[in-house]
Amino acid sequence: MKYDIRLLPHDRITVSPSILAADFGAMNSDIAKVTVAGADLLHLDVMDGHFVPNLTMGPPFLKSTRRASTLLFDTHLMISHPLYYAPIFAQNGADHITFHVEAEDDPRAVIQAIRDAGCTVGMSVKPRTPAAALAPYLDELDLILVMSVEPGFGGQSFMHDQMAKVAEFRAMIHASGRPIHLEIDGGIDRETVKIAAAAGANMMVAGTSVFRAPDGMAAAVAGLHAASSLLKA
Ligand code: DX5
Ligand code: ZN
């Protein structure tokens, strides 16, 4: 059984904490804490040392972590070959899989492979890639992920100049009439979430600001949820 991201609401902010900022030596405990803190889903950043200059987590890590969590696994593949690896991540616990349009495989083939593996599908764009790059695939997507940092590392500063693209995607989603989540990833905290929500993002990835919050994870997640009132309809 897989969790279905299409069942998550569109009319309020949902929070997907990125475990890249958790303690890898105490992962199950950190995931339990962020679940109690009110996370709506869990963001897993997969990096291959090729698409981005960093290495993070692979299929065995998902498999073990899956047993310890009741949250939807929002899997973000920052890898050059999603066509080969997406089904493997699906078998090891991914519920939703987002891949990059800048990866090396044919996007339509990757979308089909993810669907065949029983997962929902997202596509992402790096900061220098325009919204138009995803226009041909809109009819087939459950989620669009806008990067508000260069992918590769947690803890970077939010790129304000990506907000025009978020607004553009919001308009494209509206015009499509399809219920596509608009997720944003990178530098999201209790301040930048307001800007992202006002621009039209409804799903917030947050690593550092949640797992390293000085006043605790519950306050951090609640602070992100508070931007629901600013969500652009
Ligand atoms: C960056 C990753 C992000 C990252 C976010 O390549 O895709 O998910 O973990 O981390 P923060 O919230 O610390 O910017
Ligand atoms: Zn991510």
Side-chain angles (χ1 to χ4, degrees):
M1 245 298 284
K2 292 202 179 289
Y3 295 103
D4 190 338
I5 209 165
R6 293 170 294 198
L7 301 177
L8 291 179
H10 288 261
D11 59 354
R12 68 166 178 85
I13 296 295
T14 44
V15 176
S16 192
S18 166
I19 57 170
L20 194 57
D23 179 350
F24 275 56
M27 189 53 80
N28 290 352
S29 142
D30 267 8
I31 291 175
K33 283 182 199 158
V34 86
T35 304
V36 171
D40 298 283
L41 64 173
L42 200 65
H43 191 80
L44 294 91
D45 287 306
V46 175
M47 307 187 190
D48 66 353
H50 185 257
F51 184 76
V52 290
N54 197 5
L55 286 161
T56 53
M57 54 194 82
F61 176 88
L62 265 82
K63 190 175 185 178
S64 311
T65 311
R66 176 72 282 169
R67 289 197 287 265
S69 174
T70 53
L71 290 172
L72 186 157
F73 276 13
D74 168 24
T75 314
H76 179 192
L77 300 183
M78 285 160 276
I79 64 177
S80 297
H81 297 293
L83 185 58
Y84 177 77
Y85 286 104
I88 299 174
F89 281 99
Q91 283 156 21
N92 284 275
D95 298 295
H96 169 83
I97 297 181
T98 296
F99 69 100
H100 274 263
V101 70
E102 304 90 353
E104 293 177 21
D105 300 322
D106 168 32
R108 284 196 201 284
V110 181
I111 291 169
Q112 193 58 50
I114 295 172
R115 290 260 180 244
D116 290 348
C119 293
T120 51
V121 183
M123 283 184 78
S124 183
V125 283
K126 298 207 283 185
R128 280 188 281 264
T129 303
L134 298 192
Y137 311 107
L138 230 56
D139 285 350
E140 299 166 66
L141 301 179
D142 304 302
L143 180 148
I144 289 170
L145 171 59
V146 175
M147 293 306 303
S148 42
V149 297
E150 282 297 339
F153 299 91
Q156 305 182 74
S157 300
F158 180 78
M159 295 170 70
H160 289 262
D161 62 0
Q162 296 303 304
M163 292 309 99
K165 190 157 65 185
V166 170
E168 209 178 325
F169 274 130
R170 178 47 69 196
M172 286 164 65
I173 290 169
H174 188 72
S176 80
R178 296 194 60 250
I180 303 171
H181 290 293
L182 186 49
E183 185 178 46
I184 186 148
D185 186 1
I188 294 290
D189 60 26
R190 276 169 255 191
E191 289 309 313
T192 53
V193 69
K194 298 176 190 168
I195 300 161
N202 69 292
M203 192 171 272
M204 307 292 167
V205 177
T208 307
S209 75
V210 169
F211 284 102
R212 311 208 182 154
D215 52 352
M217 296 186 202
V221 173
L224 298 174
H225 279 146
S228 287
S229 59
L230 300 167
L231 190 54
K232 193 177 150 190

